[in-house]
Structures are given as structure tokens and as C-alpha cells.
Amino acid sequence: PYDEINRAEVLAVVLRAFDLPFYAADGSNLGWTDVNTSAWYMGFLKSGKMAGLLEGDAGSTTVRPGDGVGRVELLKFIYEAAKLKGVSSVGACAFNPYADVTTGHWYTDYVCQAKTDGLFDTVGGVFFPSVEASRGEVAEALYRLLK
């Protein structure tokens, strides 16, 4: 539970947790230059892209499937999937939910909703948005949202 989880693995877990449609890999790189078209994750990347959960890195042709996933990226995956299934929605946040998360960031609304839903245990009023999520945090966040 304390080990890192990568972007492709998180996408696979989230797609399964919300029972979203799965699209098999078709040999395409989906427009990303940093993927292996025969890797296990290609169907999940395609499914995430089709569902609107995964766009890749802004302004580039990369998606970094083997990189760790930051806590705020995890929240985007979870809440966008939850919205598709009608489980949860994310409203606009007009306050700083944590000392290290202020209004105006692309992820502030997700972090506010996660605080409201109690998805993460935090200490000292900080969230650590850039810290990579652990396998246990992914499982716990999904459990708390879907219980």
C-alpha cells in the first residue's frame, strides 16, 4: 500500500472502480509519442481518452504512462469518472481548502471536493498536492467515495 502507483495503473483502477467502458487497444499510439503500442496499458489509455479522463500533457505529445501520479492528478481521474457515473460532482471552490492549496489552480475544485468527501487524511492543514499518490491512498480514496 505504500508503494507508488503510476498513471496507467491508476487509470486502470479508476476505470474498473466506476465500471466505465473498456476499449481494446488497436495498435495506435493515440497521438502520444511516449507509449509502447503493444503494452498492457494501451486499452486503458484508450478507454481513459475516450471517457475524457486522460488528455496527456498540455501542449505536448506525451502522456507519461509509467510516471507516478500526483495526488491532484488522482483526484481529477476519480472525480471525472464519478461525474460520468453520476456518483459525485465537483463544484467551484471559493476558499483555500488547505494552506498549500489556494484558489485559482486547475486542481483547487477537486481538492475542495476531496476535503468535503474526506478522501484523504491530512496533518497540519496541508494537502501536499504535488506528492505522488501511493497505492493505499488510491484504494482508500475510492473506498471512501464509493462506500
Side-chain angles (χ1 to χ4, degrees), residues 18 71 74-80 82 87-90 98 109-122 127 136-147:
F18 290 97
R71 295 174 99 193
L74 167 63
L75 291 178
K76 180 183 179 194
F77 287 147
I78 288 174
Y79 280 118
E80 291 301 314
V87 172
S88 180
S89 62
V90 176
Y98 295 98
D109 296 344
Y110 296 115
V111 176
C112 274
Q113 190 63 48
K115 185 174 186 176
T116 299
D117 292 337
L119 299 192
F120 286 92
D121 293 330
T122 59
F127 182 74
E137 285 179 316
V138 172
E140 186 70 22
L142 287 168
Y143 173 76
R144 289 178 181 187
L145 184 63
L146 295 172
K147 68 179 177 179

Side-chain angles (χ1 to χ4, degrees), residues 7-47:
R7 292 165 58 87
E9 292 167 334
V10 164
L11 196 53
V13 169
V14 169
L15 287 165
R16 289 175 175 146
F18 290 97
D19 195 29
L20 293 174
F22 180 80
Y23 299 93
D26 59 9
S28 165
N29 71 358
L30 304 170
W32 295 310
T33 57
D34 63 341
V35 297
N36 174 346
T37 58
S38 61
W40 68 269
Y41 56 71
M42 287 307 297
F44 293 104
L45 294 185
K46 182 176 181 179
S47 301

